[in-house]
Amino acid sequence: MLDTFKAISLSHKTAPLQVRELIALNEDEAKRLMLRLRDFFGLADLLVISTCNRTEVYYAFEQDLNADIARLLLIEKGLINTDNYLPYFEFFNAHDDAVRHLFEVCVGLHSQVVGDMQIPNQVKQSYQWSADLEMAGPFLHRLMHTIFFTNKRVAQETPFRDGAASVSYAAVELIEELVGDHQSPNVLVIGLGEIGTDVCKNLEARSGGVWNRANITLCNRTQAKAEALASQLGFRVANFADLTDEIQRADVIISSVMLDDPLITPTLLQTIKVLTFKYFIDLSVPRSVDAAVEQIPGVLVYNIDHIRNRADEALQQRLAAIPQVEAIITQAVTEFGDWSKEMVVSPTINKLKNALEQIRRDEIARHLKHLTPDESEKVDKITRGIMQKIIKLPVLQLKAACKRGEAETLIDVLNDLFDLEKQAAEEPKRSY
């Protein structure tokens, strides 16, 4: 498995949103692609990651299949003119580069919002797809568990995940602070452009704690868009004509509509009765919530500048932590690399152990008839101890040679000295 890991990547860094949308895979599509790759190329260790910001395929194979895999992915998505889309892909042909890239993606270094907390869960889901299809071998299992442990270290040892570094996420975090212990507050989202949609996705990701999905309502001038998103996320839909009634019902109102003049004004709210508090979070530019509504008792307004300041502070904190994160990743990649190299010598170590064990057993068998059961047990214990000491140094030397990149020479020497290939071939014929 040494030096066979490769990857293809299409992300927000290499492709615009309209291209990413065309190539994104849902679970069924991802699994179908994996089965095709297995049938076409005989791939065993395979991982497919697809989110709104990236679609990537990682695989272990001697040959470089990057361009072929990219073309097959495009064809599976109905994009026959593959040459037009290949420039949007980034290819990782070198084993170490592909491994490092996967570490960095999973930790969140390459996310559109640096340190994105959703990416580890998305990667775990992709890993589960590989496991479901029995397309994760020892290499991929070890790699993914090393990455998950590294991700935990990053969360525990650095401020890389602290705070809300995007406007939409900061808005959701603010809601949690405002409602406190309020159980299941009614949240109304008005406007489903890019920011409004992102807010909804962040609400969905964190639903089940402070609130539940049934209490989140979407209201959009194009109702079909609200219905499609609500169906996907499990939210409620309201008619835009009933906006005043929905505001009355809501505890928190998030507005991101694009209008020249404010949508929510004191006039619109003149019939609204505020029994405790009603929070308006205005994410629009220009503002869609008239600042004058805050004069209504119990109404509090938070505008885009307030939210953006929260996000900017968190982002700067995360950016400052990047060197710490990279150091943790470097250490993990090095340790995984050592393990990966040792996989090459594992068969030789096992052959050597088996060869020496066979010599030990053959010699003991010659003398068993002259020994009592107690003597046989003592001889067996003593010779096992001797064998363990004999094998220890060659094993250590092999592992050290791996790190120096000199394992092949030592493997050849051991094979010649002990005729390991012949010993391995005869092993199945023996019975004890």
Side-chain angles (χ1 to χ4, degrees):
M1 196 62 65
L2 185 62
D3 291 335
T4 62
F5 199 58
K6 301 173 183 66
I8 67 170
S9 172
L10 181 142
S11 72
H12 63 95
K13 293 184 177 182
T14 62
L17 178 60
Q18 59 266 32
V19 173
R20 302 200 305 273
E21 289 176 333
L22 290 174
I23 297 172
L25 302 165
N26 59 33
E27 180 176 351
D28 290 339
E29 290 172 330
K31 288 183 174 179
R32 185 162 59 246
L33 175 66
M34 293 169 74
L35 292 173
R36 294 277 183 137
L37 291 172
R38 182 190 66 186
D39 295 342
F40 277 40
F41 305 113
L43 301 182
D45 270 309
L46 184 63
L47 181 74
V48 175
I49 298 173
S50 190
T51 70
C52 58
N53 284 325
R54 67 180 59 252
T55 297
E56 300 183 328
V57 178
Y58 297 85
Y59 65 99
F61 200 68
E62 290 290 345
Q63 294 175 253
D64 181 357
L65 302 174
N66 282 344
D68 293 331
I69 290 174
R71 290 183 188 279
L72 182 58
L73 166 60
L74 292 166
I75 291 170
E76 286 290 307
K77 293 298 294 185
L79 303 171
I80 308 302
N81 51 340
T82 58
D83 287 343
N84 293 343
Y85 292 94
L86 285 180
Y88 292 114
F89 286 89
E90 185 176 7
F91 293 160
F92 295 89
N93 306 314
H95 174 95
D96 291 344
D97 292 342
V99 169
R100 177 87 190 195
H101 182 72
L102 182 54
F103 269 88
E104 292 178 350
V105 165
C106 295
V107 168
L109 279 176
H110 295 310
S111 299
Q112 198 163 31
V113 177
V114 176
D116 183 2
M117 288 187 285
Q118 295 183 41
I119 189 67
N121 291 330
Q122 292 167 332
V123 172
K124 285 181 181 178
Q125 184 182 54
S126 298
Y127 175 42
Q128 186 62 54
W129 298 343
S130 298
D132 291 343
L133 296 176
E134 297 183 350
M135 301 186 75
F139 176 85
L140 188 59
H141 281 307
R142 179 67 176 248
L143 175 59
M144 297 312 299
H145 285 284
T146 303
I147 287 173
F148 297 147
F149 178 74
T150 302
N151 187 62
K152 186 180 293 186
R153 281 193 62 193
V154 168
Q156 292 175 344
E157 299 175 21
T158 77
F160 191 60
R161 294 276 165 69
D162 294 352
S166 72
V167 167
S168 57
Y169 197 92
V172 173
E173 191 177 68
L174 175 61
I175 296 172
E176 291 183 331
E177 293 179 14
L178 294 175
V179 300
D181 295 330
H182 190 304
Q183 291 301 307
S184 300
N186 291 313
V187 179
L188 173 64
V189 181
I190 308 170
L192 298 175
E194 185 175 348
I195 291 180
T197 299
D198 282 346
V199 167
C200 291
K201 290 178 179 178
N202 280 296
L203 284 169
E204 189 272 338
R206 298 178 74 151
S207 61
V210 176
W211 46 62
N212 62 55
R213 299 183 187 191
N215 289 350
I216 299 172
T217 301
L218 309 187
C219 188
N220 194 58
R221 279 175 292 187
T222 304
Q223 184 147 338
K225 186 172 184 179
E227 290 173 348
L229 186 60
S231 174
Q232 177 187 342
L233 302 179
F235 295 164
R236 176 176 171 268
V237 178
N239 194 307
F240 199 80
D242 300 327
L243 183 60
T244 304
D245 292 338
E246 293 301 326
I247 291 175
Q248 174 67 69
R249 178 177 177 273
D251 301 301
V252 179
I253 300 93
I254 305 171
S255 178
S256 62
V257 297
M258 303 302 293
L259 295 171
D260 292 333
D261 299 309
L263 170 68
I264 300 169
T265 63
T267 302
L268 180 72
L269 303 182
Q270 61 185 349
T271 61
I272 298 290
K273 294 179 181 179
V274 182
L275 300 179
T276 54
F277 288 99
K278 200 173 289 289
Y279 304 101
F280 288 85
I281 299 175
D282 186 1
L283 304 180
S284 308
V285 178
R287 288 183 288 183
S288 59
V289 180
D290 192 329
V293 304
E294 201 164 25
Q295 296 174 10
I296 301 172
V299 171
L300 293 173
V301 179
Y302 297 86
N303 62 38
I304 186 67
D305 287 343
H306 180 273
I307 304 298
R308 190 172 285 144
N309 287 339
R310 293 170 61 101
D312 287 347
E313 289 173 8
L315 181 58
Q316 290 306 315
Q317 190 176 26
R318 292 185 181 189
L319 292 174
I322 286 179
Q324 290 176 266
V325 175
E326 290 178 334
I328 291 173
I329 290 175
T330 296
Q331 181 183 356
V333 168
T334 300
E335 291 173 356
F336 177 77
D338 290 343
W339 174 86
S340 180
K341 291 173 183 175
E342 287 178 12
M343 286 184 68
V344 177
V345 300
S346 291
T348 300
I349 291 173
N350 289 331
K351 290 176 187 176
L352 180 59
K353 287 181 177 179
N354 291 337
L356 294 177
E357 174 64 11
Q358 187 58 43
I359 293 171
R360 187 186 74 86
R361 290 188 179 192
D362 289 345
E363 286 304 303
I364 289 178
R366 290 173 55 196
H367 302 285
L368 277 178
K369 57 186 177 182
H370 304 298
L371 302 175
T372 65
D374 285 345
E375 289 173 335
S376 296
E377 185 177 346
K378 288 180 181 179
V379 169
D380 184 71
K381 184 176 181 180
I382 291 169
T383 53
R384 282 182 185 277
I386 293 171
M387 294 306 301
Q388 288 175 359
K389 290 183 178 180
I390 291 173
I391 197 72
K392 183 177 180 180
L393 185 58
V395 169
L396 291 175
Q397 292 289 354
L398 270 173
K399 291 182 176 181
C402 279
K403 294 181 180 180
R404 298 193 305 269
E406 301 172 356
E408 289 187 10
T409 302
L410 195 50
I411 288 173
D412 291 341
V413 170
L414 289 172
N415 276 325
D416 291 342
L417 280 175
F418 294 94
D419 202 6
L420 296 183
E421 296 302 328
K422 180 180 178 182
Q423 293 283 349
E426 294 179 351
E427 187 68 24
K429 303 176 184 178
R430 297 190 180 103
S431 60
Y432 301 110

